[in-house]
Amino acid sequence: MDEIEWRRSEGLVPYEDALAFMDERNRAIQEGRADECVWLLEHPPLFTAGTSADPAELFNPQGFPVFEAGRGGRYTYHGPGQRVGYLLLNLDKRGRDIRCFVHALEGWVIDALAELGLSAHRSPGRIGIWVGEGPAEAKIAAIGVRVRRWVTMHGFSINVSPDLSHFGGIVPCGIATHGVTSLQALGIAAGMADVDAALQAKFPEFLSNLAG
């Protein structure tokens, strides 16, 4: 962990700046010029399109900016009140197993939410992290990653207290049959600092779950 930089940005980080940072840091890690990095931040309201995005799933009545993300997946919303985590980790030294990485990443988010008193889970056949059961099941966090030359990019987003109406501008991650929720909507009084502390507490376990 001592060789991994943790960055926390105050305010709203423009998405273009985040993409530029990830692109440069990815190359620097590949070339041995920089440490691995976990970056926790918030974005202004926007939509990102993954490599499988279907234009029919974008409505965008409020005219938010739409960015090509380069990650896997479909359309995702980012905005204030959502904790976004970008991971730039070198899988060349942590096991060249992308499936293992994604599974461990999901587990990390689930474990961090448990630290905050929320029971969350994976749902077979559906991307993301979920809470509740049956018709009441809803997405609390999104997962979307890219791996370039075995260095990871992008990561996760956890809905802490975003404006949930903004998700109505897309079919989130291509799943129209279930809704989206947040810690705030579930009555959990946790702020960004609480979420960050839970993520950091469970990070060593996440690393131990990676192959290699």
Side-chain angles (χ1 to χ4, degrees):
M1 279 189 65
D2 292 340
E3 297 178 356
I4 299 174
E5 178 189 3
W6 280 73
R7 297 168 57 101
R8 292 180 180 82
S9 293
E10 300 294 333
L12 303 179
V13 177
Y15 194 70
E16 307 96 310
D17 293 354
L19 286 179
F21 173 85
M22 284 191 285
D23 183 70
E24 168 54 30
R25 190 60 168 255
N26 178 284
R27 297 180 192 280
I29 293 170
Q30 291 173 31
E31 296 167 4
R33 296 185 287 106
D35 289 336
E36 298 168 292
C37 179
V38 176
W39 188 12
L40 303 176
L41 68 152
E42 293 175 79
H43 286 305
L46 58 92
F47 296 122
T48 66
T51 53
S52 301
D54 181 349
E57 296 173 350
L58 176 67
F59 318 121
N60 199 8
Q62 299 188 63
F64 293 148
V66 181
F67 296 92
E68 298 290 334
R71 56 159 175 78
R74 295 162 91 159
Y75 284 108
T76 298
Y77 168 77
H78 291 313
Q82 186 186 69
R83 175 50 91 214
V84 174
Y86 292 137
L87 280 71
L88 292 118
L89 300 178
N90 188 357
L91 297 187
D92 197 38
K93 68 178 184 179
R94 300 188 182 280
R96 290 188 173 194
D97 190 332
I98 297 173
R99 184 170 304 210
C100 174
F101 169 70
V102 172
H103 191 267
L105 176 56
E106 292 170 340
W108 180 30
V109 173
I110 291 169
D111 290 346
L113 291 173
E115 283 279 293
L116 300 170
L118 180 63
S119 177
H121 57 267
R122 302 174 182 87
S123 187
R126 283 190 259 127
I127 298 170
I129 306 302
W130 301 78
V131 296
E133 297 180 358
E137 192 175 24
K139 178 179 280 191
I140 188 75
I143 304 288
V145 302
R146 178 183 179 187
V147 179
R148 189 175 72 191
R149 295 187 180 179
W150 296 110
V151 177
T152 68
M153 303 168 70
H154 302 280
F156 65 84
S157 58
I158 299 172
N159 297 331
V160 181
S161 57
D163 184 338
L164 293 177
S165 71
H166 289 178
F167 287 89
I170 56 170
V171 177
C173 299
I175 301 169
T177 55
H178 292 77
V180 177
T181 191
S182 67
L183 293 173
Q184 182 183 64
L186 294 170
I188 296 177
M192 291 297 172
D194 301 306
V195 173
D196 294 351
L199 287 166
Q200 193 149 18
K202 292 299 180 179
F203 189 67
E205 187 174 343
F206 160 69
L207 288 182
S208 71
N209 287 332
L210 296 179

PDB file of all heavy atoms in Angstrom, residues 148-187:
ATOM      1  N   ARG A 148      -5.137  -1.203 -20.075  1.00  0.00           N
ATOM      2  CA  ARG A 148      -4.252  -0.921 -21.200  1.00  0.00           C
ATOM      3  C   ARG A 148      -2.838  -1.314 -20.826  1.00  0.00           C
ATOM      4  O   ARG A 148      -2.276  -0.782 -19.876  1.00  0.00           O
ATOM      5  CB  ARG A 148      -4.316   0.567 -21.564  1.00  0.00           C
ATOM      6  CG  ARG A 148      -3.576   0.909 -22.865  1.00  0.00           C
ATOM      7  CD  ARG A 148      -3.774   2.377 -23.240  1.00  0.00           C
ATOM      8  NE  ARG A 148      -3.047   3.256 -22.358  1.00  0.00           N
ATOM      9  CZ  ARG A 148      -3.211   4.593 -22.331  1.00  0.00           C
ATOM     10  NH1 ARG A 148      -4.115   5.154 -23.125  1.00  0.00           N
ATOM     11  NH2 ARG A 148      -2.497   5.340 -21.513  1.00  0.00           N
ATOM     12  N   ARG A 149      -2.317  -2.295 -21.562  1.00  0.00           N
ATOM     13  CA  ARG A 149      -0.980  -2.829 -21.288  1.00  0.00           C
ATOM     14  C   ARG A 149      -0.851  -3.232 -19.825  1.00  0.00           C
ATOM     15  O   ARG A 149       0.161  -2.984 -19.170  1.00  0.00           O
ATOM     16  CB  ARG A 149       0.098  -1.828 -21.687  1.00  0.00           C
ATOM     17  CG  ARG A 149       0.129  -1.574 -23.194  1.00  0.00           C
ATOM     18  CD  ARG A 149       1.281  -0.719 -23.609  1.00  0.00           C
ATOM     19  NE  ARG A 149       1.287  -0.500 -25.046  1.00  0.00           N
ATOM     20  CZ  ARG A 149       2.179   0.236 -25.691  1.00  0.00           C
ATOM     21  NH1 ARG A 149       3.152   0.843 -25.022  1.00  0.00           N
ATOM     22  NH2 ARG A 149       2.113   0.382 -27.001  1.00  0.00           N
ATOM     23  N   TRP A 150      -1.890  -3.833 -19.319  1.00  0.00           N
ATOM     24  CA  TRP A 150      -1.978  -4.398 -17.974  1.00  0.00           C
ATOM     25  C   TRP A 150      -1.994  -3.367 -16.859  1.00  0.00           C
ATOM     26  O   TRP A 150      -1.837  -3.715 -15.685  1.00  0.00           O
ATOM     27  CB  TRP A 150      -0.878  -5.444 -17.738  1.00  0.00           C
ATOM     28  CG  TRP A 150      -1.030  -6.609 -18.644  1.00  0.00           C
ATOM     29  CD1 TRP A 150      -0.243  -6.966 -19.699  1.00  0.00           C
ATOM     30  CD2 TRP A 150      -2.113  -7.562 -18.626  1.00  0.00           C
ATOM     31  NE1 TRP A 150      -0.745  -8.080 -20.340  1.00  0.00           N
ATOM     32  CE2 TRP A 150      -1.901  -8.464 -19.695  1.00  0.00           C
ATOM     33  CE3 TRP A 150      -3.239  -7.745 -17.822  1.00  0.00           C
ATOM     34  CZ2 TRP A 150      -2.758  -9.528 -19.968  1.00  0.00           C
ATOM     35  CZ3 TRP A 150      -4.091  -8.803 -18.090  1.00  0.00           C
ATOM     36  CH2 TRP A 150      -3.840  -9.679 -19.151  1.00  0.00           C
ATOM     37  N   VAL A 151      -2.225  -2.101 -17.199  1.00  0.00           N
ATOM     38  CA  VAL A 151      -2.459  -1.079 -16.178  1.00  0.00           C
ATOM     39  C   VAL A 151      -3.920  -0.667 -16.246  1.00  0.00           C
ATOM     40  O   VAL A 151      -4.429  -0.315 -17.317  1.00  0.00           O
ATOM     41  CB  VAL A 151      -1.539   0.142 -16.365  1.00  0.00           C
ATOM     42  CG1 VAL A 151      -1.868   1.226 -15.334  1.00  0.00           C
ATOM     43  CG2 VAL A 151      -0.073  -0.270 -16.239  1.00  0.00           C
ATOM     44  N   THR A 152      -4.609  -0.706 -15.106  1.00  0.00           N
ATOM     45  CA  THR A 152      -6.047  -0.444 -15.077  1.00  0.00           C
ATOM     46  C   THR A 152      -6.347   1.053 -15.154  1.00  0.00           C
ATOM     47  O   THR A 152      -5.517   1.896 -14.780  1.00  0.00           O
ATOM     48  CB  THR A 152      -6.683  -1.017 -13.803  1.00  0.00           C
ATOM     49  OG1 THR A 152      -6.220  -0.287 -12.656  1.00  0.00           O
ATOM     50  CG2 THR A 152      -6.340  -2.490 -13.647  1.00  0.00           C
ATOM     51  N   MET A 153      -7.567   1.351 -15.623  1.00  0.00           N
ATOM     52  CA  MET A 153      -8.090   2.720 -15.668  1.00  0.00           C
ATOM     53  C   MET A 153      -9.575   2.671 -15.305  1.00  0.00           C
ATOM     54  O   MET A 153     -10.198   1.613 -15.338  1.00  0.00           O
ATOM     55  CB  MET A 153      -7.902   3.329 -17.069  1.00  0.00           C
ATOM     56  CG  MET A 153      -6.458   3.348 -17.543  1.00  0.00           C
ATOM     57  SD  MET A 153      -6.294   3.750 -19.314  1.00  0.00           S
ATOM     58  CE  MET A 153      -6.758   5.493 -19.315  1.00  0.00           C
ATOM     59  N   HIS A 154     -10.141   3.830 -14.983  1.00  0.00           N
ATOM     60  CA  HIS A 154     -11.543   3.942 -14.556  1.00  0.00           C
ATOM     61  C   HIS A 154     -11.743   3.149 -13.266  1.00  0.00           C
ATOM     62  O   HIS A 154     -10.801   2.984 -12.505  1.00  0.00           O
ATOM     63  CB  HIS A 154     -12.488   3.533 -15.682  1.00  0.00           C
ATOM     64  CG  HIS A 154     -12.301   4.362 -16.919  1.00  0.00           C
ATOM     65  ND1 HIS A 154     -12.838   5.623 -17.058  1.00  0.00           N
ATOM     66  CD2 HIS A 154     -11.592   4.127 -18.060  1.00  0.00           C
ATOM     67  CE1 HIS A 154     -12.501   6.122 -18.238  1.00  0.00           C
ATOM     68  NE2 HIS A 154     -11.736   5.235 -18.859  1.00  0.00           N
ATOM     69  N   GLY A 155     -12.942   2.675 -12.968  1.00  0.00           N
ATOM     70  CA  GLY A 155     -13.135   1.995 -11.695  1.00  0.00           C
ATOM     71  C   GLY A 155     -14.586   1.865 -11.287  1.00  0.00           C
ATOM     72  O   GLY A 155     -15.329   1.060 -11.843  1.00  0.00           O
ATOM     73  N   PHE A 156     -15.019   2.686 -10.309  1.00  0.00           N
ATOM     74  CA  PHE A 156     -16.366   2.541  -9.747  1.00  0.00           C
ATOM     75  C   PHE A 156     -16.966   3.901  -9.430  1.00  0.00           C
ATOM     76  O   PHE A 156     -16.266   4.924  -9.374  1.00  0.00           O
ATOM     77  CB  PHE A 156     -16.322   1.694  -8.464  1.00  0.00           C
ATOM     78  CG  PHE A 156     -15.541   2.342  -7.339  1.00  0.00           C
ATOM     79  CD1 PHE A 156     -16.124   3.266  -6.497  1.00  0.00           C
ATOM     80  CD2 PHE A 156     -14.200   2.013  -7.133  1.00  0.00           C
ATOM     81  CE1 PHE A 156     -15.407   3.867  -5.473  1.00  0.00           C
ATOM     82  CE2 PHE A 156     -13.467   2.605  -6.116  1.00  0.00           C
ATOM     83  CZ  PHE A 156     -14.075   3.533  -5.279  1.00  0.00           C
ATOM     84  N   SER A 157     -18.272   3.909  -9.206  1.00  0.00           N
ATOM     85  CA  SER A 157     -18.950   5.091  -8.671  1.00  0.00           C
ATOM     86  C   SER A 157     -19.993   4.621  -7.669  1.00  0.00           C
ATOM     87  O   SER A 157     -20.740   3.676  -7.936  1.00  0.00           O
ATOM     88  CB  SER A 157     -19.597   5.928  -9.773  1.00  0.00           C
ATOM     89  OG  SER A 157     -20.532   5.163 -10.520  1.00  0.00           O
ATOM     90  N   ILE A 158     -20.025   5.263  -6.501  1.00  0.00           N
ATOM     91  CA  ILE A 158     -20.964   4.930  -5.431  1.00  0.00           C
ATOM     92  C   ILE A 158     -21.907   6.113  -5.246  1.00  0.00           C
ATOM     93  O   ILE A 158     -21.464   7.258  -5.078  1.00  0.00           O
ATOM     94  CB  ILE A 158     -20.226   4.643  -4.114  1.00  0.00           C
ATOM     95  CG1 ILE A 158     -19.282   3.449  -4.277  1.00  0.00           C
ATOM     96  CG2 ILE A 158     -21.219   4.391  -2.980  1.00  0.00           C
ATOM     97  CD1 ILE A 158     -18.377   3.216  -3.070  1.00  0.00           C
ATOM     98  N   ASN A 159     -23.192   5.835  -5.261  1.00  0.00           N
ATOM     99  CA  ASN A 159     -24.193   6.888  -5.088  1.00  0.00           C
ATOM    100  C   ASN A 159     -24.335   7.214  -3.604  1.00  0.00           C
ATOM    101  O   ASN A 159     -24.945   6.459  -2.843  1.00  0.00           O
ATOM    102  CB  ASN A 159     -25.537   6.460  -5.662  1.00  0.00           C
ATOM    103  CG  ASN A 159     -25.476   6.214  -7.161  1.00  0.00           C
ATOM    104  OD1 ASN A 159     -24.677   6.829  -7.860  1.00  0.00           O
ATOM    105  ND2 ASN A 159     -26.313   5.312  -7.645  1.00  0.00           N
ATOM    106  N   VAL A 160     -23.771   8.343  -3.208  1.00  0.00           N
ATOM    107  CA  VAL A 160     -23.843   8.787  -1.814  1.00  0.00           C
ATOM    108  C   VAL A 160     -25.081   9.656  -1.627  1.00  0.00           C
ATOM    109  O   VAL A 160     -26.003   9.300  -0.892  1.00  0.00           O
ATOM    110  CB  VAL A 160     -22.559   9.535  -1.414  1.00  0.00           C
ATOM    111  CG1 VAL A 160     -22.630   9.971   0.053  1.00  0.00           C
ATOM    112  CG2 VAL A 160     -21.327   8.661  -1.646  1.00  0.00           C
ATOM    113  N   SER A 161     -25.132  10.782  -2.312  1.00  0.00           N
ATOM    114  CA  SER A 161     -26.296  11.678  -2.200  1.00  0.00           C
ATOM    115  C   SER A 161     -26.522  12.450  -3.503  1.00  0.00           C
ATOM    116  O   SER A 161     -26.746  13.667  -3.474  1.00  0.00           O
ATOM    117  CB  SER A 161     -26.088  12.661  -1.043  1.00  0.00           C
ATOM    118  OG  SER A 161     -24.874  13.404  -1.241  1.00  0.00           O
ATOM    119  N   PRO A 162     -26.477  11.780  -4.666  1.00  0.00           N
ATOM    120  CA  PRO A 162     -26.681  12.503  -5.928  1.00  0.00           C
ATOM    121  C   PRO A 162     -28.167  12.808  -6.154  1.00  0.00           C
ATOM    122  O   PRO A 162     -29.042  12.271  -5.452  1.00  0.00           O
ATOM    123  CB  PRO A 162     -26.182  11.500  -6.975  1.00  0.00           C
ATOM    124  CG  PRO A 162     -26.520  10.179  -6.378  1.00  0.00           C
ATOM    125  CD  PRO A 162     -26.278  10.336  -4.897  1.00  0.00           C
ATOM    126  N   ASP A 163     -28.438  13.653  -7.125  1.00  0.00           N
ATOM    127  CA  ASP A 163     -29.807  13.894  -7.574  1.00  0.00           C
ATOM    128  C   ASP A 163     -30.210  12.691  -8.429  1.00  0.00           C
ATOM    129  O   ASP A 163     -29.802  12.573  -9.588  1.00  0.00           O
ATOM    130  CB  ASP A 163     -29.866  15.188  -8.385  1.00  0.00           C
ATOM    131  CG  ASP A 163     -31.286  15.561  -8.799  1.00  0.00           C
ATOM    132  OD1 ASP A 163     -32.158  14.659  -8.837  1.00  0.00           O
ATOM    133  OD2 ASP A 163     -31.523  16.743  -9.107  1.00  0.00           O
ATOM    134  N   LEU A 164     -31.008  11.803  -7.868  1.00  0.00           N
ATOM    135  CA  LEU A 164     -31.337  10.563  -8.569  1.00  0.00           C
ATOM    136  C   LEU A 164     -32.171  10.797  -9.824  1.00  0.00           C
ATOM    137  O   LEU A 164     -32.197   9.943 -10.716  1.00  0.00           O
ATOM    138  CB  LEU A 164     -32.071   9.608  -7.624  1.00  0.00           C
ATOM    139  CG  LEU A 164     -31.242   9.069  -6.451  1.00  0.00           C
ATOM    140  CD1 LEU A 164     -32.097   8.185  -5.549  1.00  0.00           C
ATOM    141  CD2 LEU A 164     -30.027   8.295  -6.951  1.00  0.00           C
ATOM    142  N   SER A 165     -32.823  11.949  -9.926  1.00  0.00           N
ATOM    143  CA  SER A 165     -33.599  12.230 -11.138  1.00  0.00           C
ATOM    144  C   SER A 165     -32.699  12.340 -12.361  1.00  0.00           C
ATOM    145  O   SER A 165     -33.144  12.124 -13.488  1.00  0.00           O
ATOM    146  CB  SER A 165     -34.423  13.510 -10.969  1.00  0.00           C
ATOM    147  OG  SER A 165     -33.584  14.666 -10.966  1.00  0.00           O
ATOM    148  N   HIS A 166     -31.420  12.664 -12.150  1.00  0.00           N
ATOM    149  CA  HIS A 166     -30.500  12.801 -13.279  1.00  0.00           C
ATOM    150  C   HIS A 166     -30.279  11.473 -14.008  1.00  0.00           C
ATOM    151  O   HIS A 166     -29.946  11.460 -15.188  1.00  0.00           O
ATOM    152  CB  HIS A 166     -29.152  13.344 -12.800  1.00  0.00           C
ATOM    153  CG  HIS A 166     -29.204  14.787 -12.391  1.00  0.00           C
ATOM    154  ND1 HIS A 166     -28.108  15.460 -11.880  1.00  0.00           N
ATOM    155  CD2 HIS A 166     -30.213  15.697 -12.436  1.00  0.00           C
ATOM    156  CE1 HIS A 166     -28.448  16.704 -11.616  1.00  0.00           C
ATOM    157  NE2 HIS A 166     -29.711  16.868 -11.935  1.00  0.00           N
ATOM    158  N   PHE A 167     -30.458  10.363 -13.302  1.00  0.00           N
ATOM    159  CA  PHE A 167     -30.293   9.062 -13.936  1.00  0.00           C
ATOM    160  C   PHE A 167     -31.375   8.799 -14.974  1.00  0.00           C
ATOM    161  O   PHE A 167     -31.242   7.891 -15.803  1.00  0.00           O
ATOM    162  CB  PHE A 167     -30.302   7.943 -12.889  1.00  0.00           C
ATOM    163  CG  PHE A 167     -29.045   7.875 -12.060  1.00  0.00           C
ATOM    164  CD1 PHE A 167     -28.925   8.613 -10.890  1.00  0.00           C
ATOM    165  CD2 PHE A 167     -27.983   7.070 -12.447  1.00  0.00           C
ATOM    166  CE1 PHE A 167     -27.775   8.546 -10.114  1.00  0.00           C
ATOM    167  CE2 PHE A 167     -26.823   6.998 -11.686  1.00  0.00           C
ATOM    168  CZ  PHE A 167     -26.723   7.740 -10.516  1.00  0.00           C
ATOM    169  N   GLY A 168     -32.453   9.578 -14.938  1.00  0.00           N
ATOM    170  CA  GLY A 168     -33.534   9.416 -15.904  1.00  0.00           C
ATOM    171  C   GLY A 168     -33.147   9.799 -17.317  1.00  0.00           C
ATOM    172  O   GLY A 168     -33.906   9.540 -18.255  1.00  0.00           O
ATOM    173  N   GLY A 169     -31.963  10.390 -17.500  1.00  0.00           N
ATOM    174  CA  GLY A 169     -31.521  10.764 -18.826  1.00  0.00           C
ATOM    175  C   GLY A 169     -30.918   9.623 -19.618  1.00  0.00           C
ATOM    176  O   GLY A 169     -30.570   9.788 -20.792  1.00  0.00           O
ATOM    177  N   ILE A 170     -30.784   8.455 -18.982  1.00  0.00           N
ATOM    178  CA  ILE A 170     -30.205   7.283 -19.640  1.00  0.00           C
ATOM    179  C   ILE A 170     -30.924   6.036 -19.138  1.00  0.00           C
ATOM    180  O   ILE A 170     -31.693   6.093 -18.179  1.00  0.00           O
ATOM    181  CB  ILE A 170     -28.694   7.127 -19.339  1.00  0.00           C
ATOM    182  CG1 ILE A 170     -28.456   7.073 -17.821  1.00  0.00           C
ATOM    183  CG2 ILE A 170     -27.876   8.222 -20.001  1.00  0.00           C
ATOM    184  CD1 ILE A 170     -27.044   6.690 -17.423  1.00  0.00           C
ATOM    185  N   VAL A 171     -30.643   4.920 -19.807  1.00  0.00           N
ATOM    186  CA  VAL A 171     -30.915   3.615 -19.217  1.00  0.00           C
ATOM    187  C   VAL A 171     -29.606   3.213 -18.542  1.00  0.00           C
ATOM    188  O   VAL A 171     -28.655   2.823 -19.234  1.00  0.00           O
ATOM    189  CB  VAL A 171     -31.326   2.570 -20.281  1.00  0.00           C
ATOM    190  CG1 VAL A 171     -31.531   1.201 -19.623  1.00  0.00           C
ATOM    191  CG2 VAL A 171     -32.588   3.012 -21.002  1.00  0.00           C
ATOM    192  N   PRO A 172     -29.513   3.358 -17.221  1.00  0.00           N
ATOM    193  CA  PRO A 172     -28.215   3.161 -16.563  1.00  0.00           C
ATOM    194  C   PRO A 172     -27.635   1.772 -16.806  1.00  0.00           C
ATOM    195  O   PRO A 172     -28.240   0.761 -16.464  1.00  0.00           O
ATOM    196  CB  PRO A 172     -28.534   3.367 -15.075  1.00  0.00           C
ATOM    197  CG  PRO A 172     -29.778   4.199 -15.065  1.00  0.00           C
ATOM    198  CD  PRO A 172     -30.560   3.729 -16.269  1.00  0.00           C
ATOM    199  N   CYS A 173     -26.480   1.749 -17.436  1.00  0.00           N
ATOM    200  CA  CYS A 173     -25.774   0.496 -17.737  1.00  0.00           C
ATOM    201  C   CYS A 173     -26.633  -0.476 -18.527  1.00  0.00           C
ATOM    202  O   CYS A 173     -26.418  -1.694 -18.493  1.00  0.00           O
ATOM    203  CB  CYS A 173     -25.264  -0.167 -16.452  1.00  0.00           C
ATOM    204  SG  CYS A 173     -24.089   0.866 -15.544  1.00  0.00           S
ATOM    205  N   GLY A 174     -27.626   0.053 -19.254  1.00  0.00           N
ATOM    206  CA  GLY A 174     -28.455  -0.782 -20.112  1.00  0.00           C
ATOM    207  C   GLY A 174     -29.506  -1.595 -19.375  1.00  0.00           C
ATOM    208  O   GLY A 174     -30.124  -2.478 -19.969  1.00  0.00           O
ATOM    209  N   ILE A 175     -29.749  -1.289 -18.102  1.00  0.00           N
ATOM    210  CA  ILE A 175     -30.691  -2.072 -17.305  1.00  0.00           C
ATOM    211  C   ILE A 175     -31.916  -1.218 -17.012  1.00  0.00           C
ATOM    212  O   ILE A 175     -31.880  -0.308 -16.176  1.00  0.00           O
ATOM    213  CB  ILE A 175     -30.034  -2.566 -16.003  1.00  0.00           C
ATOM    214  CG1 ILE A 175     -28.815  -3.434 -16.342  1.00  0.00           C
ATOM    215  CG2 ILE A 175     -31.027  -3.346 -15.151  1.00  0.00           C
ATOM    216  CD1 ILE A 175     -27.943  -3.765 -15.151  1.00  0.00           C
ATOM    217  N   ALA A 176     -33.014  -1.514 -17.691  1.00  0.00           N
ATOM    218  CA  ALA A 176     -34.231  -0.707 -17.570  1.00  0.00           C
ATOM    219  C   ALA A 176     -35.214  -1.266 -16.562  1.00  0.00           C
ATOM    220  O   ALA A 176     -36.195  -0.601 -16.212  1.00  0.00           O
ATOM    221  CB  ALA A 176     -34.912  -0.592 -18.942  1.00  0.00           C
ATOM    222  N   THR A 177     -34.973  -2.492 -16.086  1.00  0.00           N
ATOM    223  CA  THR A 177     -35.957  -3.168 -15.238  1.00  0.00           C
ATOM    224  C   THR A 177     -35.798  -2.860 -13.758  1.00  0.00           C
ATOM    225  O   THR A 177     -36.655  -3.231 -12.961  1.00  0.00           O
ATOM    226  CB  THR A 177     -35.855  -4.691 -15.442  1.00  0.00           C
ATOM    227  OG1 THR A 177     -34.504  -5.106 -15.210  1.00  0.00           O
ATOM    228  CG2 THR A 177     -36.280  -5.071 -16.863  1.00  0.00           C
ATOM    229  N   HIS A 178     -34.720  -2.204 -13.365  1.00  0.00           N
ATOM    230  CA  HIS A 178     -34.484  -1.900 -11.961  1.00  0.00           C
ATOM    231  C   HIS A 178     -34.024  -0.454 -11.817  1.00  0.00           C
ATOM    232  O   HIS A 178     -33.429   0.127 -12.724  1.00  0.00           O
ATOM    233  CB  HIS A 178     -33.429  -2.831 -11.367  1.00  0.00           C
ATOM    234  CG  HIS A 178     -33.881  -4.244 -11.263  1.00  0.00           C
ATOM    235  ND1 HIS A 178     -33.940  -5.088 -12.348  1.00  0.00           N
ATOM    236  CD2 HIS A 178     -34.322  -4.972 -10.198  1.00  0.00           C
ATOM    237  CE1 HIS A 178     -34.381  -6.275 -11.968  1.00  0.00           C
ATOM    238  NE2 HIS A 178     -34.616  -6.236 -10.669  1.00  0.00           N
ATOM    239  N   GLY A 179     -34.300   0.108 -10.659  1.00  0.00           N
ATOM    240  CA  GLY A 179     -33.988   1.502 -10.422  1.00  0.00           C
ATOM    241  C   GLY A 179     -32.597   1.713  -9.842  1.00  0.00           C
ATOM    242  O   GLY A 179     -31.790   0.795  -9.721  1.00  0.00           O
ATOM    243  N   VAL A 180     -32.354   2.964  -9.496  1.00  0.00           N
ATOM    244  CA  VAL A 180     -31.084   3.393  -8.920  1.00  0.00           C
ATOM    245  C   VAL A 180     -31.379   4.022  -7.567  1.00  0.00           C
ATOM    246  O   VAL A 180     -32.383   4.719  -7.404  1.00  0.00           O
ATOM    247  CB  VAL A 180     -30.393   4.415  -9.847  1.00  0.00           C
ATOM    248  CG1 VAL A 180     -29.099   4.920  -9.232  1.00  0.00           C
ATOM    249  CG2 VAL A 180     -30.137   3.802 -11.215  1.00  0.00           C
ATOM    250  N   THR A 181     -30.514   3.791  -6.610  1.00  0.00           N
ATOM    251  CA  THR A 181     -30.713   4.362  -5.286  1.00  0.00           C
ATOM    252  C   THR A 181     -29.404   4.951  -4.772  1.00  0.00           C
ATOM    253  O   THR A 181     -28.394   4.972  -5.478  1.00  0.00           O
ATOM    254  CB  THR A 181     -31.261   3.298  -4.311  1.00  0.00           C
ATOM    255  OG1 THR A 181     -31.691   3.946  -3.101  1.00  0.00           O
ATOM    256  CG2 THR A 181     -30.217   2.233  -3.995  1.00  0.00           C
ATOM    257  N   SER A 182     -29.416   5.466  -3.551  1.00  0.00           N
ATOM    258  CA  SER A 182     -28.237   6.082  -2.951  1.00  0.00           C
ATOM    259  C   SER A 182     -28.235   5.822  -1.450  1.00  0.00           C
ATOM    260  O   SER A 182     -29.249   5.418  -0.864  1.00  0.00           O
ATOM    261  CB  SER A 182     -28.235   7.598  -3.205  1.00  0.00           C
ATOM    262  OG  SER A 182     -29.316   8.216  -2.504  1.00  0.00           O
ATOM    263  N   LEU A 183     -27.093   6.078  -0.828  1.00  0.00           N
ATOM    264  CA  LEU A 183     -27.026   5.965   0.622  1.00  0.00           C
ATOM    265  C   LEU A 183     -28.040   6.903   1.278  1.00  0.00           C
ATOM    266  O   LEU A 183     -28.730   6.526   2.227  1.00  0.00           O
ATOM    267  CB  LEU A 183     -25.608   6.294   1.103  1.00  0.00           C
ATOM    268  CG  LEU A 183     -24.511   5.309   0.697  1.00  0.00           C
ATOM    269  CD1 LEU A 183     -23.135   5.861   1.093  1.00  0.00           C
ATOM    270  CD2 LEU A 183     -24.732   3.950   1.338  1.00  0.00           C
ATOM    271  N   GLN A 184     -28.129   8.120   0.782  1.00  0.00           N
ATOM    272  CA  GLN A 184     -29.067   9.092   1.326  1.00  0.00           C
ATOM    273  C   GLN A 184     -30.502   8.601   1.215  1.00  0.00           C
ATOM    274  O   GLN A 184     -31.276   8.673   2.187  1.00  0.00           O
ATOM    275  CB  GLN A 184     -28.909  10.429   0.603  1.00  0.00           C
ATOM    276  CG  GLN A 184     -29.806  11.540   1.136  1.00  0.00           C
ATOM    277  CD  GLN A 184     -29.634  12.814   0.318  1.00  0.00           C
ATOM    278  OE1 GLN A 184     -29.944  12.858  -0.856  1.00  0.00           O
ATOM    279  NE2 GLN A 184     -29.103  13.847   0.957  1.00  0.00           N
ATOM    280  N   ALA A 185     -30.875   8.077   0.038  1.00  0.00           N
ATOM    281  CA  ALA A 185     -32.243   7.603  -0.172  1.00  0.00           C
ATOM    282  C   ALA A 185     -32.572   6.421   0.730  1.00  0.00           C
ATOM    283  O   ALA A 185     -33.749   6.196   1.070  1.00  0.00           O
ATOM    284  CB  ALA A 185     -32.440   7.214  -1.639  1.00  0.00           C
ATOM    285  N   LEU A 186     -31.550   5.671   1.125  1.00  0.00           N
ATOM    286  CA  LEU A 186     -31.755   4.518   2.000  1.00  0.00           C
ATOM    287  C   LEU A 186     -31.670   4.885   3.479  1.00  0.00           C
ATOM    288  O   LEU A 186     -31.730   4.016   4.349  1.00  0.00           O
ATOM    289  CB  LEU A 186     -30.725   3.435   1.669  1.00  0.00           C
ATOM    290  CG  LEU A 186     -30.855   2.804   0.275  1.00  0.00           C
ATOM    291  CD1 LEU A 186     -29.639   1.934  -0.034  1.00  0.00           C
ATOM    292  CD2 LEU A 186     -32.139   2.002   0.157  1.00  0.00           C
ATOM    293  N   GLY A 187     -31.523   6.175   3.752  1.00  0.00           N
ATOM    294  CA  GLY A 187     -31.511   6.634   5.132  1.00  0.00           C
ATOM    295  C   GLY A 187     -30.187   6.470   5.848  1.00  0.00           C
ATOM    296  O   GLY A 187     -30.138   6.498   7.081  1.00  0.00           O
TER     297      GLY A 187
END
